[in-house]
Amino acid sequence: MLSSIPLLIVPFILYNMGLAGFFGDGPEGDPWATEIFSFTMMSGGVFSMTLGISLIVAALLLLFVEIVKSTRTSNASVVDHLLSTFVFVAFLVEFLLVKGAAHPVFFTLMVITLVDVLAGFSVSLRASGRDVHLG
């Protein structure tokens, strides 16, 4: 049952922890603009990693795991898809109703959860179609 918990709930929780001030205020009150590290590239350009970008990268890695999980064909996959849909709905409701969620990082996380829902259903339908044997 624990494997049915959608992993994209983690970025949702982390973002809300940031809204609550767990990660500090950041520049101009934006905790997601806080620079974690930066270094100069060989080209002379400067690469800087912010807290918001690192959260998006973590969510993309979790999306990969979720898509791999969606290839399972069992009753647990139905529960997993349903819970992933609930996570997307939570993102959408918060995006529409919470002022602090009107942020590009949150919007990107919400789109990642939408891709999770759509890819999960698509992959499951494709995989289950191969399990049907006629005759």
Side-chain angles (χ1 to χ4, degrees):
M1 183 66 180
L2 206 54
S3 65
S4 293
I5 295 174
L7 297 176
L8 290 174
I9 193 82
V10 173
F12 182 76
I13 292 168
L14 289 174
Y15 189 90
N16 285 303
M17 287 173 61
L19 281 182
F22 280 82
F23 306 127
D25 289 335
E28 298 178 20
D30 184 7
W32 308 113
T34 303
E35 186 177 290
I36 299 173
F37 64 86
S38 67
F39 55 88
T40 304
M41 306 294 283
M42 292 175 64
S43 65
V46 177
F47 173 79
S48 63
M49 178 65 76
T50 63
L51 193 57
I53 296 299
S54 64
L55 185 60
I56 290 170
V57 169
L60 286 170
L61 293 172
L62 292 174
L63 173 64
F64 173 74
V65 174
E66 283 293 319
I67 290 174
V68 170
K69 278 175 38 179
S70 70
T71 61
R72 298 178 298 175
T73 53
S74 67
N75 292 338
S77 66
V78 174
V79 173
D80 190 31
H81 296 318
L82 185 63
L83 293 175
S84 292
T85 304
F86 288 152
V87 170
F88 170 68
V89 169
F91 265 101
L92 183 61
V93 168
E94 184 167 343
F95 180 69
L96 295 173
L97 300 179
V98 177
K99 184 177 180 180
H103 194 280
V105 171
F106 192 83
F107 178 77
T108 305
L109 293 173
M110 183 180 67
V111 170
I112 290 171
T113 60
L114 176 63
V115 170
D116 174 39
V117 170
L118 296 176
F121 281 114
S122 299
V123 168
S124 290
L125 287 174
R126 211 66 185 146
S128 66
R130 294 182 182 157
D131 286 345
V132 175
H133 300 287
L134 300 174

